[in-house]
Amino acid sequence: MELSDYLRILRRRWRLVVATLLLVVVAAALITWRTTPQYQSTTQLFISTSASSSAEAYQGNLFSSQRLSSYADLATGTELATRVVAATSSDLTPAELADKVTAQASPETVLLNLSVTDPDPVVAQQLTQTYGEELMALVAELETPPGRNQPVLKATIVDAATLPSGAISPNPVRNLGLAFVLGLLLGVGLAVVRELLDTSTKSADDVTTSLEAPILGTFAFDSEVGKRPLLTQLTSHEPRSEAFRVLRTNLSFVDIDATSKAFVVTSALPGEGKSTTAVNTALALQQAGERTLLVDGDLRRPQAAELLGLDGTIGLTTALVGKVTATDVVLTHGSGLHVLASGAIPPNPSELLQSQAMASLLLELRADYDVIIIDAPPLLPVTDAALIASQVDGAVVVVRHGRTTREQLGEARQRLDAVGANTLGAVFNMVPRKGRGDYGSGYGYGYGYGSAPDEAPAGT
C-alpha cells in the first residue's frame, strides 16, 4: 500500500483511530492513577583492599574489581535480605525484600550502587542504609581468611542512604507518552485491518465495478428524510430535489427512442431505501410532465401506497386475479401521480409476477403511460424483482453506502443476468457528508431476515 492509500484509510476511519487512541490513553492514565507510588533510596559502597605498597594497591584494585560483581549478586540474595529483615524488624519476608533491591557495579571501578524501593520513602531510606551496613559486615566475614583478624577486602559506605524526594514510579509523563504512541499505532493498525476486511461499498468505483453498471443518481445522507420523505414536501432548491432531477434526467436517456418505458427499482438487500427512491423518482417524472404510473410490485411488504398516504388494500393483486381491470384500481395522488397499489398480499407472489396475467397487464399499462416505475422486492432474498425486471426495460438497483457489500452487488447482477434482465444502473444512497453516514438496519419481516424496523428512506 502507498502513502496515499493509508491517508485515505485514515480519513475514512479516523473515528476508529481516535477512539482507540483515547481508550489506550485513558487506560494508561487509570493504571497510573491506581498504581501505588514507589520511592527509591540509594547508597554507594567502596570495595577496597589493605595494601602496603603501590604494587600491592594496584593488584588489590584488580582483585576488588573481580569480586565486585559477586557482591552485587550477594546484595540481591536472600541471605543478606534475611539479615536486613532481622535488623529492621520488617514485616516483609526475605524473598519479598530481595525483590525490592537492585545492586549495580560501576564499570571499571570498585564502587557498588545499592538501591531499595518501598511505598514509604522513610522506610526505603532505612532499608537501604541497613543493607549497606549488613553488606559491609558480610564482606568482612567472607574476606577474612582463617586464623586472621583482618579481612583481605572490605566494603565502606561512601554515600549514606538518601531520603527520596519523589516517587520513581509510576511516571505519568512517560506512561501517557508511551500510551499515546501505542494507541496511535494500534488505532492505525485496526483502521487498516478493518478497511481490508470491509467489503462494503464506499465509493462510486466500488458500485460501478461490482454491479457492472453506471451510477444514475447519488443521494447524500439527510436526517430530515424521516420527517419529509416525499419529493412534494421539499422545496425545489433543496439538494435532495436536485438529486432526483438528476436521476430523472439520466433515466430519460435510457432507451431514448421508446415511446413508453418501464423500470424496476430494487436493491440487493432490504433496508437500502428502494421504496422511497421509487416513489420519489415517479414523483419527479410526474413533475416533468411525463404520464407516470407508480406500481407497488412488492407483494411481500408493500410500502409505496403507505408512503403516499393512499389505501393499498386493492390494487395489483386484485387486477392479476381478474376481479377488476387495472384502470379501475389505479389511484391518484394529490400531486397528480397515478399509483397502482399492491393490493392484498398473496401467498404466491413469485407465481403471480411471472404469470401471463402480469405480462398482459404491463402491455396494457404501457399503452396508457409514458413511464412506469415498479417498486420491487430486494433481489437476493427473493426472485420477485428479477422476474419483473425481465418483463420490462430493466432494473435500477439502489445501493446503500457503507452497508451493501461488493459481493452482494455482484450476486444481484448475476440474479438479473440469469433471467435476461437489463441492469440499467445504480442509485448510490445515503452517501455520508464529510465521511459521515448512517448504518442502520433493516427491511424486515417476510424475507427470511427476521423482524426489523421499517425500510430506511432514500437519502437517510
Side-chain angles (χ1 to χ4, degrees), residues 358-371:
M358 182 66 180
S360 301
L361 178 64
L362 288 173
L363 287 176
E364 178 186 343
L365 294 175
R366 279 179 180 269
D368 296 331
Y369 295 97
D370 298 325
V371 183

Side-chain angles (χ1 to χ4, degrees), residues 185-251:
L185 292 176
L186 183 60
V188 172
L190 288 176
V192 172
V193 171
R194 184 169 179 180
E195 185 73 15
L196 294 176
L197 295 177
D198 185 7
T199 62
S200 61
T201 51
K202 294 292 197 309
S203 66
D205 288 340
D206 291 341
V207 177
T208 56
T209 302
S210 303
L211 195 61
E212 300 180 21
I215 291 181
L216 301 175
T218 300
F219 295 93
F221 171 76
D222 187 349
S223 60
E224 294 294 316
V225 171
K227 301 176 182 178
R228 299 181 299 158
L230 299 180
L231 188 62
T232 52
Q233 298 169 322
L234 307 177
T235 59
S236 60
H237 63 274
E238 291 188 51
R240 192 149 46 103
S241 298
E242 179 59 29
F244 276 109
R245 286 194 290 269
V246 171
L247 176 58
R248 178 185 66 194
T249 301
N250 290 334
L251 286 175

Side-chain angles (χ1 to χ4, degrees), residues 47 62-72 142-143 153:
I47 309 299
L62 289 178
F63 182 65
S64 299
S65 299
Q66 293 170 356
R67 298 285 241 191
L68 199 58
S69 59
S70 298
Y71 289 120
L142 296 176
E143 297 296 343
L153 290 177

Side-chain angles (χ1 to χ4, degrees), residues 21-99:
L21 175 60
L22 290 177
L23 181 62
V24 174
V25 171
V26 169
L30 184 61
I31 293 173
T32 299
W33 176 67
R34 293 176 62 91
T35 299
T36 303
Q38 296 292 324
Y39 297 87
Q40 185 178 71
S41 177
T42 303
T43 186
Q44 190 174 69
L45 292 88
F46 181 81
I47 309 299
S48 61
T49 62
S50 300
S52 58
S53 65
S54 59
E56 290 177 345
Y58 176 73
Q59 292 179 350
N61 284 337
L62 289 178
F63 182 65
S64 299
S65 299
Q66 293 170 356
R67 298 285 241 191
L68 199 58
S69 59
S70 298
Y71 289 120
D73 293 337
L74 285 174
T76 57
T78 56
E79 172 61 26
L80 190 58
T82 301
R83 296 188 179 201
V84 174
V85 168
T88 58
S89 300
S90 175
D91 294 332
L92 298 171
T93 65
E96 291 173 340
L97 181 57
D99 290 338

Side-chain angles (χ1 to χ4, degrees), residues 10 79 260 291 315 320 356 403 443 445 456:
L10 291 179
E79 172 61 26
S260 178
R291 291 179 301 162
L320 290 178
Q356 183 59 44
R403 179 174 175 182
Y443 188 86
Y445 183 79

Side-chain angles (χ1 to χ4, degrees), residues 188-357:
V188 172
L190 288 176
V192 172
V193 171
R194 184 169 179 180
E195 185 73 15
L196 294 176
L197 295 177
D198 185 7
T199 62
S200 61
T201 51
K202 294 292 197 309
S203 66
D205 288 340
D206 291 341
V207 177
T208 56
T209 302
S210 303
L211 195 61
E212 300 180 21
I215 291 181
L216 301 175
T218 300
F219 295 93
F221 171 76
D222 187 349
S223 60
E224 294 294 316
V225 171
K227 301 176 182 178
R228 299 181 299 158
L230 299 180
L231 188 62
T232 52
Q233 298 169 322
L234 307 177
T235 59
S236 60
H237 63 274
E238 291 188 51
R240 192 149 46 103
S241 298
E242 179 59 29
F244 276 109
R245 286 194 290 269
V246 171
L247 176 58
R248 178 185 66 194
T249 301
N250 290 334
L251 286 175
S252 69
F253 287 100
V254 175
D255 197 6
I256 193 170
D257 294 326
T259 56
S260 178
K261 303 176 184 179
F263 307 126
V264 163
V265 177
T266 183
S267 58
L269 288 176
E272 302 188 46
K274 64 161 188 69
S275 291
T276 311
T277 300
V279 170
N280 285 319
T281 302
L283 288 172
L285 290 165
Q286 176 67 30
Q287 289 177 353
E290 301 278 358
R291 291 179 301 162
T292 306
L293 173 67
L294 172 66
V295 178
D296 194 343
D298 190 339
L299 303 185
R300 298 174 187 267
R301 192 181 177 195
Q303 292 191 7
E306 182 180 351
L307 283 170
L308 292 167
L310 301 174
D311 183 8
T313 56
I314 299 177
L316 179 59
T317 56
T318 314
L320 290 178
V321 297
K323 292 184 177 181
V324 294
T325 63
T327 54
D328 292 335
V329 291
V330 169
L331 305 174
T332 302
H333 183 249
S335 62
L337 174 67
H338 286 187
V339 180
L340 179 58
S342 65
I345 297 177
N348 56 342
S350 298
E351 294 179 13
L352 281 179
L353 294 174
Q354 64 180 335
S355 65
Q356 183 59 44

